[in-house]
Amino acid sequence: WEQSYSESNLTLAAAESYCTNKGAGWRLPNLYEYFSILNYWKDSALDGTYFNTPMDGYYWTSTNEAGSTLNYWTINATNGQVPTAAVPNTSTNYVRCVKGEELIPPTSERYTKIGTGGTALPIYDNAWAAVRDNWTGLLWDKTTREYSDGWIEAINYCENLVLAGRSNWYLPNIKQVHYLMDMSNENSVLNSTYFEQKYNPLWTSTTDMFYGFERYVWAVSPINGIDSPYGPASKYESTYEAKCVSWDEP
């Protein structure tokens, strides 16, 4: 990763040139790569020990909005938030470049259906209980559940869940939820072939230090992958839902 960043806002084309002009292999990072260096547990999501403190603003990624070649996702490197919409490639944002093999989800054989007893099932089986993400190695509950009493109830549910031969379930952190989402899917970033489709944001276990960890928690939309609209959500929000996760071990 580049330690610093562009000193001015650039269009997407100018941002791409800014990175390639640094030499062979330098490029714009995609959204998943940006997630990998952000620490949502600190006041500033980008660690100032290693990176120059970012300007308070949004940074380009190379991830385009599904179904569009004109709109691209940006990310706020101060608090880690993905905005409520992708922006036109003619708008201007800051740039931080990356070099190396691209971190990107596989386009085939990413998921495996898991039965109630914990064994792998063929793709055509219609009685699966959980889904293994072969990219991350995590096991996910197939269903999504709503909690009228808020975040604490969601945590308790996951920690007491027994499913697919496992009892080591928990509420995922924000990075785990982000990596589950496939931003290339146009209708829903949560794969509808394997997961139950719901529309409300998904709780994460990640409290927000920027706005105040005593009350606010990050949540992610299963439709377009954005973080909770307008920033982290209150722990007492009643319309959010939970999808439990487990390490792929009984």
Side-chain angles (χ1 to χ4, degrees), residues 191-205:
N191 191 300
S192 60
T193 302
Y194 293 89
F195 296 100
E196 177 186 26
Q197 293 297 292
K198 294 287 187 72
Y199 300 98
N200 291 326
L202 299 175
W203 284 118
T204 80
S205 62

Side-chain angles (χ1 to χ4, degrees), residues 4 8-9 13 15 27-28 58 60 62 71 74 83 87-88 105 123 132 140 146 166 205 218:
S4 191
S8 59
N9 288 305
R27 55 180 174 80
L28 274 180
Y58 286 92
W60 281 115
S62 62
N71 297 327
T74 59
V87 299
I123 190 172
R132 179 191 299 127
W140 292 87
E146 182 176 333
R166 294 158 172 80
S205 62
W218 288 102

Side-chain angles (χ1 to χ4, degrees), residues 2-248:
E2 182 183 23
Q3 182 185 22
S4 191
Y5 52 88
S6 62
E7 295 181 355
S8 59
N9 288 305
L10 303 173
T11 64
L12 180 65
E16 291 171 336
S17 295
Y18 172 85
C19 290
T20 56
N21 287 340
K22 290 186 173 297
W26 287 97
R27 55 180 174 80
L28 274 180
N30 66 43
L31 200 53
Y32 300 102
E33 290 169 327
Y34 238 120
F35 292 142
S36 74
I37 63 170
L38 296 179
N39 187 342
Y40 292 85
W41 296 267
K42 290 188 175 182
D43 290 340
S44 177
L46 199 60
D47 194 334
T49 304
Y50 302 96
F51 298 97
N52 287 5
T53 304
M55 296 292 290
D56 187 13
Y58 286 92
Y59 289 69
W60 281 115
T61 79
S62 62
T63 304
N64 62 292
E65 181 181 32
S68 171
T69 58
L70 300 178
N71 297 327
Y72 283 75
W73 291 103
T74 59
I75 193 164
N76 188 318
T78 302
N79 67 357
Q81 184 177 5
V82 179
T84 55
V87 299
N89 58 12
T90 53
S91 61
T92 58
N93 295 283
Y94 292 108
V95 186
R96 187 184 299 272
C97 307
V98 71
K99 184 177 182 179
E101 183 179 354
E102 188 173 15
L103 176 67
I104 193 167
T107 56
S108 63
E109 300 182 353
R110 176 173 177 179
Y111 301 110
T112 300
K113 294 179 178 180
I114 304 297
T116 55
T119 57
L121 301 174
I123 190 172
Y124 54 79
D125 197 297
N126 292 320
W128 73 102
V131 180
R132 179 191 299 127
D133 184 343
N134 298 315
W135 185 42
T136 63
L138 295 174
L139 194 70
W140 292 87
D141 186 356
K142 167 191 172 182
T143 60
T144 303
R145 307 169 195 275
E146 182 176 333
Y147 298 96
S148 58
D149 292 335
W151 182 65
I152 296 297
E153 185 184 3
I155 289 177
N156 290 337
Y157 173 80
C158 287
E159 291 183 351
N160 288 287
L161 179 65
V162 177
L163 182 72
R166 294 158 172 80
S167 60
N168 56 348
W169 296 90
Y170 59 93
L171 193 66
N173 64 49
I174 187 172
K175 289 191 178 186
Q176 291 169 326
V177 176
H178 274 311
Y179 284 133
L180 177 64
M181 305 301 171
D182 185 349
M183 301 299 285
S184 67
N185 282 346
E186 188 170 353
N187 296 321
S188 173
V189 295
L190 189 62
N191 191 300
S192 60
T193 302
Y194 293 89
F195 296 100
E196 177 186 26
Q197 293 297 292
K198 294 287 187 72
Y199 300 98
N200 291 326
L202 299 175
W203 284 118
T204 80
S205 62
T206 305
T207 54
D208 179 68
M209 298 296 294
F210 191 81
Y211 288 96
F213 70 91
E214 297 91 348
R215 183 175 179 85
Y216 293 97
V217 181
W218 288 102
V220 178
S221 167
I223 302 303
N224 58 11
I226 68 169
D227 297 326
S228 5
Y230 315 115
S234 166
K235 293 179 180 179
Y236 309 103
E237 173 64 53
S238 62
T239 60
Y240 286 9
E241 298 171 341
K243 181 171 289 296
C244 306
V245 70
S246 169
W247 294 108
D248 192 19

